[in-house]
Amino acid sequence: MVDAASLGIPKTFDQHPTLKPLGDGSHLMQLNMGPQHPSTHGVLRLKLQLDGEIVHDVEPVIGYLHRGSEKLAEGMNWVKFIPLTDRMDYLAAMHNNHGYVMAVEELLGGADEQVVSERAEYLRVFAAEMSRICNHLFWMGTFFLDMGAITPVFYALREREEILTFLEELCGARLTFNYMRPGGVKFDLPEDATYLNRVEAFIDRMPAQVGEYQKLLKKNDIIVGRLNGTGPLSREQALDYGITGPMLRATGIAHDLRRVAPYSVYGQLNFDIPVINQSDCYGRLQIRWAEMVQSCKILKQVIAKLRDGNLDGLCLNPNYAGGKILRIKAGGEAYSRIEHPKGEYGVHVIGDGKLKPQRVHVKAPSFANLQALPVMTRGQKIADLIATLGSVDIVLGDVDR
Amino acid sequence: MSVFKGVTLQHDVDTEPTADGVDVHTIHADDLFLAARSAKDQGYRILSLLSASDDAKGPMSVLYSFVKPANTIAEFGELRVRVHIAKEDEEGNALATHCPSISDIFPAAIWHEREMYDMYGITFDGNPDMRRMFLPEDWKGFPMRKDDKTPEQFVAMQDGEDIVLSEQREGSW
């Protein structure tokens, strides 16, 4: 068998160096952090090896929230899995819906038949971008909360509340939306004629709110001191560890699937991809602020399209409406990927032409990004570990699935 | 012209498209390491997917997807590779399922391979950390395999004694 040793390739890394005694006869201290620790945003356990305040090594231990979603998927109809995707990353559940239904549609439609109407695609983008702002807001609030700043979370939740109210009017739920279906979306816009006007008024105001956060936080001496240079990750390391999303864009690569592999109607929309060449906590914060503003730009165009009324089609393909949706039979294999607020979210589905899937695998961005935590934190102080963990933006439901 | 530029594979490559239009190159497991190195050398730097699947009758398979980091549509590219892993030999005897690890080339694969080991019992030779990812260390069996049986009862420890949490119900899987 050909392997690294036979080709003379050196081992590229050492994932878990053994506990080495220090020179003067002392040892590193092992410290357990979590699984119930407020800054881990769920149930993440970190095994730390410390030399005083310096982190020598971190080993994330996960699985405390593992619910076996992929196994459950094999026992239910194709469409019944959608509510379970909501419960993976519960802060950006719309994107989980979107990734899964796109994968199922690949199996259903083929290239020649249009499964999803243009109107439904715009509704999906509308919901997804609202969800993206929501995710970044909540991330910002809790990120600063981890570092002891209480005020930002109030600012963030104030705006998030408005978005959740809009999404609730759209689909009846605030967190676990269960909104998208193979073939479209479950509900059209609310009948309330002022809905789009109210959303647009909020979207117009949102960039100024981001400006307010920046005014409060961007040049704050404590924030800059805590975040600048904390949790560094080189471009090579980011690529080696399969990092995607805002963390990759902070290393200077504008790799955003909405732009480089357009899905849904993103190819027709005009927006920028924020990139920065500062791969630390401060850079990641800048990226996410800028992404919120860009999402507003996208939403503005989407609302104009939806209001126009010229979009063809029903919001749900009649072939999959009503009870027919439970009788979806799909065969074949597909892998679809979308740009989740946290990174690349992929769904790999295999069907054998029956009512139930044979295999559903979810490639979760939090899971992939968390793996690089040891690389970012070795040699840093333990307080910086908290900031770095926050900057990764993980949700444990997404890590463990 | 092989898509695996710069390396010579020892076995044939079988190429067929998936439902979403991307070709999957099925290669022999012995060639996997060379194929992964070729993918990385060609710029497919991001390990996007590592997903095993189990067909009740045929062999297990592992699907890899490598992606080019890109700034524009033109720079983007994807390479999908599949490896089959036999579960039984020609006489029907169960085999230990092994697959070469690509973690020396793509460190991102370490956790993904651990996940697949946890769920499917595929041992990835060369992975430096081949332990369970999600399930407890003393879990028996590999739950995503089609021949895995749901335990007849779930047992937990309370005050130092084993107690039965739930009996298996009719109709679960």
Side-chain angles (χ1 to χ4, degrees):
Chain A
M1 196 185 76
V2 185
D3 61 5
S6 71
L7 292 171
I9 299 175
K11 290 260 180 191
T12 46
F13 66 98
D14 189 2
Q15 177 86 344
H16 297 303
T18 48
L19 197 64
K20 292 188 192 82
L22 300 174
D24 54 0
S26 57
H27 282 75
L28 293 173
M29 182 172 79
Q30 280 217 13
L31 184 72
N32 183 52
M33 178 177 151
Q36 278 91 17
H37 187 279
S39 82
T40 56
H41 302 266
V43 275
L44 169 69
R45 178 177 163 221
L46 297 173
K47 274 158 81 176
L48 309 178
Q49 293 189 13
L50 303 173
D51 173 13
E53 218 184 336
I54 307 290
V55 177
H56 266 234
D57 197 21
V58 189
E59 186 196 338
V61 181
I62 60 175
Y64 294 93
L65 205 56
H66 181 65
R67 294 151 293 180
S69 307
E70 291 172 6
K71 177 76 176 172
L72 290 171
E74 293 173 11
M76 54 181 65
N77 290 348
W78 286 95
V79 72
K80 286 186 181 172
F81 187 61
I82 297 172
L84 292 190
T85 64
D86 285 331
R87 280 142 185 87
M88 290 179 186
D89 184 352
Y90 37 81
L91 295 179
M94 280 295 181
H95 293 268
N96 300 5
N97 281 187
H98 199 176
Y100 177 68
V101 297
M102 270 175 59
V104 178
E105 280 157 8
E106 299 280 8
L107 299 185
L108 291 175
D112 44 2
E113 189 196 342
Q114 196 191 10
V115 181
V116 191
S117 70
E118 204 183 359
R119 181 168 183 82
E121 291 283 22
Y122 274 98
L123 282 168
R124 280 182 182 182
V125 172
F126 175 78
E129 291 304 320
M130 295 272 266
S131 202
R132 189 183 307 274
I133 299 177
C134 214
N135 178 82
H136 285 340
L137 278 174
F138 197 80
W139 170 81
M140 187 192 82
T142 51
F143 177 57
F144 286 109
L145 201 59
D146 289 346
M147 292 186 298
I150 304 291
T151 320
V153 75
F154 297 133
Y155 281 63
L157 292 187
R158 184 184 63 191
E159 267 76 61
R160 180 172 178 263
E161 179 64 29
E162 292 192 48
I163 299 180
L164 290 186
T165 312
F166 291 138
L167 289 175
E168 190 181 4
E169 281 182 59
L170 183 67
C171 59
R174 289 166 65 84
L175 274 180
T176 49
F177 303 109
N178 191 14
Y179 179 55
M180 298 185 194
R181 297 283 185 276
V185 294
K186 176 71 177 153
F187 303 108
D188 209 328
L189 288 173
E191 286 175 9
D192 181 0
T194 63
Y195 180 74
L196 282 180
N197 295 342
R198 281 185 285 131
V199 176
E200 192 167 29
F202 171 76
I203 294 305
D204 288 341
R205 191 155 44 83
M206 189 62 209
Q209 305 285 22
V210 177
E212 195 183 40
Y213 313 145
Q214 291 177 336
K215 204 170 156 190
L216 178 71
L217 301 163
K218 195 172 178 179
K219 289 183 181 160
N220 183 313
D221 278 351
I222 303 172
I223 299 285
V224 174
R226 280 296 300 275
L227 298 184
N228 236 338
T230 305
L233 187 71
S234 74
R235 186 181 295 178
E236 287 300 303
Q237 285 169 334
L239 293 172
D240 276 348
Y241 278 88
I243 303 295
T244 45
M247 286 181 68
L248 181 62
R249 292 193 282 278
T251 67
I253 305 174
H255 182 88
D256 187 319
L257 293 169
R258 293 176 292 172
R259 173 61 47 82
V260 300
Y263 57 93
S264 200
V265 287
Y266 282 111
Q268 304 163 25
L269 297 167
N270 175 27
F271 58 98
D272 301 325
I273 310 294
V275 186
I276 197 169
N277 229 330
Q278 185 184 359
S279 184
D280 56 20
C281 291
Y282 196 64
R284 289 165 206 146
L285 175 65
Q286 309 292 335
I287 291 275
R288 289 187 174 107
W289 271 336
E291 278 190 8
M292 281 193 245
V293 177
Q294 290 305 319
S295 285
C296 293
K297 197 172 166 187
I298 295 173
L299 279 167
K300 189 95 180 147
Q301 299 165 47
V302 172
I303 289 171
K305 274 277 188 183
L306 286 171
R307 185 181 279 147
D308 226 9
N310 290 333
L311 294 173
D312 303 334
L314 299 164
C315 67
L316 186 59
N317 189 330
N319 292 341
Y320 306 113
K324 290 180 197 160
I325 205 156
L326 289 171
R327 296 196 294 275
I328 287 177
K329 291 183 180 176
E333 177 174 22
Y335 178 58
S336 76
R337 48 168 70 82
I338 64 161
E339 187 68 29
H340 191 282
K342 296 175 172 67
E344 179 191 302
Y345 178 88
V347 181
H348 173 219
V349 288
I350 303 178
D352 47 4
K354 296 197 181 127
L355 287 168
K356 294 174 181 175
Q358 192 189 333
R359 168 74 164 137
V360 176
H361 173 67
V362 173
K363 186 259 176 175
S366 301
F367 179 76
N369 292 355
L370 180 62
Q371 193 177 175
L373 182 69
V375 184
M376 290 188 281
T377 47
R378 278 186 200 129
Q380 306 237 328
K381 296 238 168 49
I382 193 166
D384 293 342
L385 168 76
I386 307 289
T388 309
L389 178 63
S391 78
V392 181
D393 190 10
I394 54 163
V395 160
L396 265 294
D398 199 26
V399 175
D400 290 348
R401 279 159 281 145
Chain B
M1 184 68 191
S2 166
V3 292
F4 302 106
K5 297 191 181 78
V7 296
T8 315
L9 301 188
Q10 295 158 357
H11 301 268
D12 292 340
V13 179
D14 183 17
T15 304
E16 58 180 51
T18 38
D20 48 327
V22 180
D23 286 346
V24 177
H25 306 284
T26 306
I27 59 172
H28 194 278
D30 288 350
D31 287 336
L32 178 62
F33 195 87
L34 286 173
R37 198 177 65 161
S38 166
K40 186 171 182 176
D41 290 346
Q42 289 178 62
Y44 297 96
R45 289 295 307 273
I46 300 174
L47 177 70
S48 170
L49 174 73
L50 196 165
S51 166
S53 61
D54 185 11
D55 188 343
K57 294 161 202 135
M60 287 204 256
S61 70
V62 186
L63 182 70
Y64 298 81
S65 169
F66 306 105
V67 163
K68 279 183 182 172
N71 294 305
T72 57
I73 296 177
E75 289 173 25
F76 185 78
E78 185 186 3
L79 183 66
R80 276 189 209 168
V81 177
R82 189 203 309 279
V83 169
H84 286 299
I85 298 158
K87 280 189 292 191
E88 22 185 68
D89 62 13
E90 286 155 9
E91 283 132 37
N93 302 317
L95 289 173
T97 45
H98 283 268
C99 180
S101 168
I102 58 167
S103 57
D104 287 320
I105 307 168
F106 293 92
I110 299 173
W111 275 23
H112 292 283
E113 288 174 353
R114 279 180 67 188
E115 185 188 347
M116 293 310 147
Y117 167 72
D118 198 356
M119 296 296 150
Y120 285 94
I122 301 169
T123 308
F124 288 87
D125 301 319
N127 187 310
D129 195 18
M130 200 77 266
R131 294 175 295 154
R132 284 194 182 273
M133 187 87 244
F134 297 128
L135 299 177
E137 286 160 23
D138 56 353
W139 187 274
K140 292 189 180 64
F142 301 102
M144 292 288 282
R145 287 174 84 130
K146 295 285 183 193
D147 55 4
D148 188 73
K149 296 272 186 295
T150 313
E152 286 175 7
Q153 52 182 216
F154 292 99
V155 179
M157 188 168 277
Q158 195 175 58
D159 301 332
E161 295 199 7
D162 286 348
I163 55 160
V164 176
L165 282 180
S166 66
E167 305 280 343
Q168 189 187 15
R169 293 194 202 103
E170 282 295 315
S172 58
W173 288 293

